[in-house]
Amino acid sequence: MLCAESQRAVRELRRPGGAKPHGQVRSMTIPAGGQVVWSGGDKSTSLWCAYSGQFLGTIDRGREMGLPESSSFSRDNLSRPVMDDWKAKVDTNKGLELDADGRVYLRPKGGDLQQVWAEQEAWGASSEKATHAFLENLAVTGARAAGNAGKAAKYIGKLGGKLARNFASSDPRPVSFSTSRAPDDEAAGVSKGHHLRALVAAHDGSVWVAFKSGRIERYKFNARLLWCKETGIGIASMASIGPNIWVGLADGRVRVYKDSGQQDFKAHDAGIIAIVPCGTRAFTLAADGSLKGWDAHSPSPLDAAARAAYEKGAGALVSRGNLEMLCLTWNVNEQRPEGSPLFNWIADLSGKASIAVVALQEIEMGSSSVAIAAAKDVLNKSAQEKGNNNAQWWQSQVLQSLGAERWMRVGLRQLSGMLVMVFALSSLSANVGEVSTASVACGVLGVGGNKGGVAVSFTLYRRRLCCVSSHFAAHQGAVEARNRDYANIVRSLNFVSKGWYDTQVMSDDDADTRRKEVTKLSENDSGLDSPRADSDYDLAGSEFSTPELFQGQGMRDAEMLVWAGDFNYRIEATYEDALERIRNNELDYLIERDQCRREMYAGHAFQYVREAPITFCPTYKFDKYIADPFGYDSSEKRRVPAWTDRIFFRGSAFIKNAIEDDVSVRSAESEDSVLAPPPQAPVDEVVVKALKYSACVDVIESDHKPVWALLALDVPVTNQEKKRRMCSHILKQSANQGQAPERPALQVSCDSVQLKQDAWSPKKVTLTNVGSQKATFCLVHQASRQWWGHPEGFDAGLPDWLDAFPLHGCLSPQESVDVQMAAVTNENVYTSQAIEALLFFRVGTELVAGAEQQLDDSSNLLPLHVSCHRHF
């Protein structure tokens, strides 16, 4: 934390003894009085003097956690003894002691202020010096111990543990291994899971504290606890919106605390990580990147009308974008076929395409590959998105075939021998984003990466597309095993966003536990078609009540799905019969005996996806490097030819393929399939049609033939600029239907105040709300008028010689407040000359449901002239 005083350099604040305020500062706020600054670390909340930066103490939650009582601050112990107690806590049953006027005893006078600054700077320098000495000692000792590897490892392990505890808790005395923990750990009275999410100063002067676990605490400005409650669901954010407090929950809901009670409304599909007020509106940002605007009095009766108006005009915002997608799948049988005809196929087929999806299997094999892939999934998932040397070779070859000057890579995911790559024309770069990847292992012992699926998810014109490459269980009779692979992938494939989510949520020490709980819940579902998979299952009602901010999107959430791979479904026929039918081009006979089609009919696999008519011969199993279109397995095993390599797809609209006349490709109807797309209005539907579906027969490097499809995409494209303008218009229109905003009506008891410089003799200025609705006020200095338009312009700054309390607040109709003003005894400003300042009470109405305020600043400024003379 940094503090800047007028005419002084910025300095770092320290607790007595030199301890840093927090391991990491999560949130800061200042209540209406303007005397106390609240700061929050991950597990502790501290109080500071707003004038001097003096440390006042840490919130004591020990009583409710069963810890011993700690020292508290009072008027008598505020000076040196407390300053030396670096663990000092504030008893929340009492809070900081107040005087008769409701002010905290805290502001140092004259030389004491200079002493506070000097002490903090000295503590900081001493702490940094001790830290450097400790690290130097660690390096020297570690070097000496390096001669004995065993002893060195043991020694460094012990020192590392001490070092981690010292620095995690910001211990100011790291050279002493017996020092007590700082307030940032369990000793501060915060149990595991009570990670701070937000500190918010409400208009009524109270301070709200929110924790990730779902706990909310409300304090008076001096840290006296008013009440606390459990929400029953994880909290991700909190903000003061008008007279209300909005709490962003981890399941995407907003909980609004009003004078009349609390209300919830569904805002997002992911946890709400930020809430920001903006005039009569509020904006929410979710962990999945979605940003939405709301009337600041939502939920209200006007919300339904606003939604109806948006739905009515939404169609005019959408145009249709038509483009082609090339999809290709191939089991490469551990080959790197340089100069293969495959790359000519890719170059030719991509001529009119804008998106290219390449799904490969068996780019490498063996137990070492499976083991390394498993380790990477646990320790370094980003490596799977970069790919190893084999994956990089394939990416380079495909991109070169497409034309590196025109194409770009969107995403890549590897898991052992499985690889999926997505490319797009560079001209689409502004419309492609939100890339995430995922994988599911179904191989050795159920966790090996030799079988399973890898996927890349991304948005195109803000419509989510999902591309999957899979390799299912092999062998003629392993139909049930293949169905299990399918079920496991559709149930477990989950795209989790990166960035804020990974660094903030997944760094919490209980994130692994929560991940396991989510997995456990999904595994306990009744299977592939469990109603829970499609319903809005309320985690708040389960034993696990703190879902992750963004559990991620699966296949069902995609508006377009492409699933390609070596699925290993075979044909129920003899080798001789199948080969004879192929030579006679009797493909319909073989399709009727195709295991995959039968399982689709039975509803066991690939529900709600489609496949173009099969007009090419089975693509497995061929003799390698033999250019014979009928050169199927001539070994003694004589494996039955089969269409193991397939490409399935769907959009968000269930329509019959325009060129499709084989009704057998339609899957069984099931209302609760996990592959069913999300319901959408016709204007928002993504339509996908197969233009061509075939195989590259002349590619002979593997025992499989590559299979490709050209798909036509009809994607809705929303004009985002027009959408924003329309939404803004609807909010204003909705506001006009509500109560017209009344001009604020505050009266000030006087227009000038004269203070004495060398005596503590505060003067009172009374503000009274004579209007019919709530109104806010904020005391600002003329030199700080540039702050008026800022939504948090309360801290506009007063002259160094002036003390005022409260600086801002909210008044109900006919309510009054006494604003106390006094001159500060400070050697820096002590003068025999008169000093003066022109202040203003900036007045604004509290947000009225549906009222769009357009009030002129100058008509809401109540002037107050303040002067100060030395008293002789």
Side-chain angles (χ1 to χ4, degrees):
M1 289 173 53
L2 300 177
C3 176
E5 304 90 21
S6 212
Q7 301 178 349
R8 287 182 60 88
V10 174
R11 61 188 174 87
E12 182 180 359
L13 296 186
R14 296 278 183 153
R15 296 199 301 269
K20 292 184 178 180
H22 306 281
Q24 181 179 0
V25 179
R26 297 285 186 181
S27 183
M28 293 182 66
T29 192
I30 183 167
Q35 302 178 77
V36 182
V37 176
W38 291 54
S39 67
D42 194 39
K43 300 179 182 178
S44 68
T45 305
S46 297
L47 306 180
W48 308 81
C49 173
Y51 307 104
S52 66
Q54 178 183 359
F55 174 67
L56 302 177
T58 300
I59 295 294
D60 180 14
R61 298 186 180 88
R63 295 193 177 190
E64 54 192 85
M65 299 297 175
L67 298 178
E69 296 185 17
S70 304
S71 59
S72 60
F73 285 92
S74 66
R75 184 178 184 180
D76 298 328
N77 66 8
L78 183 62
S79 57
R80 299 280 72 78
V82 170
M83 298 287 287
D84 293 336
D85 183 4
W86 68 284
K87 296 190 300 179
K89 298 178 182 178
V90 179
D91 184 355
T92 57
N93 290 324
K94 302 176 182 178
L96 298 173
E97 188 177 354
L98 305 178
D99 63 15
D101 295 319
R103 298 169 54 88
V104 176
Y105 294 107
L106 52 80
R107 184 165 184 168
K109 303 291 193 302
D112 287 343
L113 183 61
Q114 303 296 328
Q115 185 177 354
V116 169
W117 291 338
E119 284 181 343
Q120 285 196 338
E121 291 174 353
W123 289 334
S126 176
S127 178
E128 294 299 327
K129 183 178 180 180
T131 299
H132 288 307
F134 174 72
L135 293 176
E136 183 177 350
N137 180 61
L138 176 63
V140 172
T141 307
R144 290 175 180 173
N148 187 317
K151 290 182 179 180
K154 184 177 181 180
Y155 179 78
I156 293 175
K158 289 183 178 180
L159 288 181
K162 291 292 185 181
L163 182 64
R165 288 194 295 272
N166 284 324
F167 282 79
S169 61
S170 303
D171 195 317
R173 292 161 285 183
V175 293
S176 173
F177 291 145
S178 61
T179 53
S180 302
R181 284 182 169 185
D184 267 359
D185 51 33
E186 257 71 29
V190 184
S191 64
K192 183 178 180 180
H194 279 73
H195 299 271
L196 186 137
R197 279 288 183 243
L199 293 171
V200 172
H203 281 304
D204 61 3
S206 63
V207 176
W208 293 57
V209 185
F211 298 90
K212 182 183 67 176
S213 62
R215 182 185 181 88
I216 295 178
E217 298 172 349
R218 187 184 180 196
Y219 293 88
K220 194 174 178 180
F221 75 94
N222 69 328
R224 181 171 68 82
L225 182 64
L226 300 176
W227 53 257
C228 62
K229 62 177 62 178
E230 300 289 343
T231 63
I233 195 72
I235 294 176
S237 59
M238 184 168 62
S240 176
I241 306 295
N244 307 322
I245 296 293
W246 284 30
V247 178
L249 302 179
D251 62 358
R253 287 180 294 160
V254 171
R255 180 162 294 175
V256 181
Y257 289 91
K258 303 181 178 181
D259 293 339
S260 57
Q262 69 183 51
Q263 288 180 281
D264 289 9
F265 67 91
K266 184 69 173 178
H268 296 269
D269 293 326
I272 301 171
I273 62 177
I275 304 174
V276 178
C278 185
T280 59
R281 303 171 191 173
F283 292 88
T284 55
L285 174 66
D288 61 359
S290 59
L291 176 68
K292 295 184 180 181
W294 311 88
D295 183 276
H297 257 78
S298 294
S300 75
L302 299 174
D303 291 348
R307 281 193 295 269
Y310 173 77
E311 292 173 358
K312 182 178 179 180
L317 304 174
V318 180
S319 59
R320 308 299 298 190
N322 298 296
L323 45 85
E324 290 187 11
M325 172 186 284
L326 168 63
C327 304
L328 184 143
T329 180
W330 189 27
N331 184 321
V332 304
N333 197 225
E334 297 186 275
Q335 302 298 308
R336 282 191 179 186
E338 294 191 32
S340 170
L342 171 74
F343 302 115
N344 295 329
W345 278 93
I346 291 176
D348 293 341
L349 293 172
S350 62
K352 295 183 179 180
S354 301
I355 304 288
V357 180
V358 178
L360 303 177
Q361 305 81 42
E362 293 188 9
I363 67 169
E364 61 187 39
M365 296 177 65
S367 57
S368 62
S369 172
V370 173
I372 292 173
K376 286 182 178 179
D377 258 9
V378 174
L379 301 175
N380 188 14
K381 290 186 178 180
S382 62
Q384 304 286 51
E385 296 179 333
K386 180 181 179 181
N388 62 12
N389 290 336
N390 286 327
Q392 288 294 311
W393 185 89
W394 278 102
Q395 174 189 269
S396 175
Q397 293 295 313
V398 172
L399 190 56
Q400 182 178 348
S401 301
L402 291 170
E405 68 284 352
R406 297 178 55 245
W407 288 77
M408 64 178 184
R409 192 193 82 174
V410 174
L412 175 152
R413 183 66 183 243
Q414 180 187 11
L415 181 63
S416 188
M418 294 179 292
L419 176 66
V420 62
M421 300 175 289
V422 179
F423 303 89
L425 288 176
S426 300
S427 58
L428 289 176
S429 60
N431 302 302
V432 173
E434 299 181 66
V435 181
S436 56
T437 70
S439 64
V440 178
C442 306
V444 179
L445 299 177
V447 296
N450 57 315
K451 296 294 188 291
V454 290
V456 171
S457 175
F458 65 101
T459 56
L460 175 64
Y461 297 112
R462 301 201 179 188
R463 308 292 170 168
R464 182 156 295 280
L465 280 65
C466 176
C467 305
V468 187
S469 170
S470 283
H471 196 186
F472 285 4
H475 304 303
Q476 182 80 19
V479 176
E480 292 300 321
R482 289 188 273 276
N483 290 347
R484 285 194 298 270
D485 290 345
Y486 161 82
N488 189 20
I489 292 171
V490 296
R491 182 178 61 242
S492 304
L493 194 68
N494 189 31
F495 299 97
V496 179
S497 68
K498 298 179 288 184
W500 185 93
Y501 177 77
D502 283 345
T503 57
Q504 298 293 329
V505 179
M506 302 310 291
S507 63
D508 294 336
D509 52 11
D510 60 339
D512 287 338
T513 302
R514 295 192 293 132
R515 262 201 307 270
K516 293 175 183 177
E517 293 290 348
V518 173
T519 303
K520 182 178 179 181
L521 283 174
S522 64
E523 290 176 349
N524 288 339
D525 290 345
S526 59
L528 173 63
D529 298 327
S530 167
R532 278 187 189 175
D534 295 336
S535 62
D536 293 328
Y537 179 55
D538 186 9
L539 289 175
S542 69
E543 293 182 358
F544 172 60
S545 59
T546 55
E548 297 187 11
L549 294 182
F550 184 28
Q551 293 183 25
Q553 296 164 319
M555 290 185 179
R556 190 182 190 278
D557 300 289
E559 295 172 83
M560 176 187 172
L561 171 67
V562 173
W563 196 346
D566 176 7
F567 300 106
N568 261 319
Y569 286 99
R570 308 302 173 88
I571 292 175
E572 298 290 355
T574 64
Y575 175 83
E576 293 76 11
D577 186 24
L579 189 57
E580 182 66 22
R581 301 288 182 175
I582 293 171
R583 292 183 182 278
N584 295 332
N585 199 31
E586 298 178 20
L587 300 184
D588 290 344
Y589 175 87
L590 298 177
I591 289 174
E592 292 176 359
R593 288 155 179 78
D594 175 49
Q595 291 177 348
C596 187
R597 290 294 176 87
R598 291 182 176 182
E599 296 307 306
M600 291 173 69
Y601 274 134
H604 298 156
F606 297 109
Q607 300 184 68
Y608 282 97
V609 294
R610 294 154 54 221
E611 182 182 29
I614 296 177
T615 59
F616 52 91
C617 297
T619 57
Y620 173 85
K621 173 182 178 43
F622 284 86
D623 293 329
K624 294 165 61 174
Y625 296 104
I626 296 179
D628 180 358
F630 305 110
Y632 292 95
D633 187 12
S634 61
S635 71
E636 61 181 17
K637 292 185 178 181
R638 299 170 69 85
R639 294 178 180 87
V640 179
W643 286 288
T644 58
D645 311 283
R646 316 284 275 265
I647 297 175
F648 299 100
F649 63 91
R650 69 154 174 81
S652 59
F654 292 114
I655 66 169
K656 197 175 184 319
N657 196 326
I659 65 170
E660 179 182 309
D661 57 5
D662 184 357
V663 296
S664 68
V665 303
R666 288 180 292 176
S667 61
E669 299 281 335
S670 175
E671 293 183 356
D672 51 352
S673 170
V674 294
L675 281 188
Q680 291 179 312
V683 70
D684 285 328
E685 288 180 341
V686 176
V687 181
V688 184
K689 301 177 181 178
L691 301 178
K692 296 179 180 179
Y693 190 34
S694 188
C696 306
V697 182
D698 58 341
V699 177
I700 59 176
E701 290 86 358
S702 171
D703 54 356
H704 291 253
K705 299 296 184 183
V707 172
W708 58 270
L710 278 178
L711 304 179
L713 279 61
D714 185 6
V715 183
V717 181
T718 301
N719 188 313
Q720 298 298 327
E721 184 177 352
K722 288 184 178 179
K723 180 180 178 180
R724 286 190 290 269
R725 288 201 299 264
M726 188 186 79
C727 290
S728 179
H729 175 73
I730 290 174
L731 286 174
K732 290 182 180 179
Q733 196 174 44
S734 175
N736 294 332
Q737 297 174 7
Q739 177 183 350
E742 176 185 324
R743 189 169 296 278
L746 290 191
Q747 288 184 349
V748 60
S749 60
C750 59
D751 58 8
S752 65
V753 174
Q754 184 172 339
L755 305 175
K756 298 178 181 179
Q757 190 180 34
D758 57 353
W760 184 257
S761 53
K763 298 294 182 70
K764 296 181 179 180
V765 177
T766 303
L767 280 175
T768 304
N769 184 357
V770 296
S772 61
Q773 59 179 298
K774 289 184 177 182
T776 60
F777 69 91
C778 173
L779 186 62
V780 296
H781 185 207
Q782 185 180 34
S784 303
R785 294 181 65 171
Q786 65 268 23
W787 285 78
W788 291 348
H790 194 279
E792 297 182 8
F794 306 135
D795 303 318
L798 297 182
D800 288 344
W801 53 269
L802 180 61
D803 184 15
F805 170 81
L807 293 175
H808 63 88
C810 176
L811 294 176
S812 298
Q814 308 309 312
E815 184 181 3
S816 298
V817 63
D818 291 331
V819 179
Q820 301 180 58
M821 296 188 176
V824 178
T825 304
N826 190 329
E827 295 176 354
N828 291 334
V829 296
Y830 198 79
T831 175
S832 60
Q833 304 297 319
I835 49 180
E836 59 185 3
L838 181 60
L839 308 181
F840 292 90
F841 286 104
R842 182 172 183 265
V843 185
T845 57
E846 278 291 16
L847 299 172
V848 178
E852 181 79 12
Q853 279 207 64
Q854 298 291 341
L855 299 176
D856 180 68
D857 274 343
S858 61
S859 65
N860 294 295
L861 296 174
L862 304 179
L864 179 67
H865 182 265
V866 182
S867 60
C868 179
H869 299 267
R870 184 174 182 180
H871 178 68
F872 295 99

